[in-house]
Amino acid sequence: MILASGSAIRARLLRDAGLRFEVQPADIDEEACRLEDPGARARELALGKARAIAARHPERLVLGSDQVFTLDGRFVPKPVDRASLIAKLRSLSGRTHVFHCGLALVRGSEVLLDVVDRAEVSIHELGEAEIAAYADTGEGIGCAGGYRLEEGGVRLIREVRGSHFTVLGLPMLELVAALRRLGLQEALYRRPEGDPR
């Protein structure tokens, strides 16, 4: 299997699940996707990534995933520096936002899985000192939500409604169910080092 994404957290989730894969990030123009519906946008981007890599490796199973973040129904970009991270955390304080995560599995021209999952995250009321302290860690820069659920960002979160995997950027339960339907779950398991099979 090929993961059509350079996301370290997506790769970690696949490794932690014991799956064999290689990474080949897809180079697609995400700005070209003008869909207004966040779920449709996430699905289109995930499928676009998978198809881009599958075109070069038609015999391989390719996994694409993409995540869209919305607050009050509006797309919100990833923070790119400390100032934009602080602004984003201020906007999230005491509020609920939504992650829409698209997932696609493609082999050649065949689409084997094309789904989108949704999760809502509510943030505690954050004071300026807490926002500044978290921003100083730098871990939220480049993250869709402006925080890392799997790291220190968990301290900011009051509630998650939906799958934590979706918040992290890869709906693992949907992926595993699809691999089982396709009869691939055992073929994709990593074998222990030194196993001759």
Side-chain angles (χ1 to χ4, degrees), residues 86-145:
I86 286 174
K88 185 160 193 173
L89 293 172
R90 283 176 180 152
S91 73
L92 298 181
S93 177
R95 302 174 70 192
T96 297
H97 53 276
V98 182
F99 290 94
H100 309 262
C101 196
L103 178 66
L105 271 178
V106 173
R107 185 187 286 131
S109 60
E110 184 181 8
V111 177
L112 304 172
L113 179 67
D114 178 17
V115 298
V116 64
D117 195 36
R118 181 180 191 276
E120 296 182 359
V121 180
S122 297
I123 299 292
H124 289 290
E125 292 281 352
L126 305 176
E128 286 299 313
E130 185 174 11
I131 288 173
Y134 184 70
D136 286 344
T137 70
E139 73 177 24
I141 295 172
C143 297

Side-chain angles (χ1 to χ4, degrees), residues 123-167:
I123 299 292
H124 289 290
E125 292 281 352
L126 305 176
E128 286 299 313
E130 185 174 11
I131 288 173
Y134 184 70
D136 286 344
T137 70
E139 73 177 24
I141 295 172
C143 297
Y147 56 83
R148 292 190 185 276
L149 174 67
E150 73 280 16
E151 295 179 20
V154 71
R155 297 190 308 266
L156 311 177
I157 295 168
R158 180 167 51 82
E159 183 182 10
V160 175
R161 289 181 295 283
S163 171
H164 284 64
F165 292 120
T166 294
V167 178

Side-chain angles (χ1 to χ4, degrees), residues 54-76:
R56 298 201 303 260
H57 303 280
E59 75 291 352
R60 303 281 297 277
L61 185 66
V62 181
L63 169 64
S65 187
D66 204 278
Q67 188 181 58
V68 173
F69 176 98
T70 58
L71 178 65
D72 295 334
R74 293 189 305 273
F75 298 115
V76 182

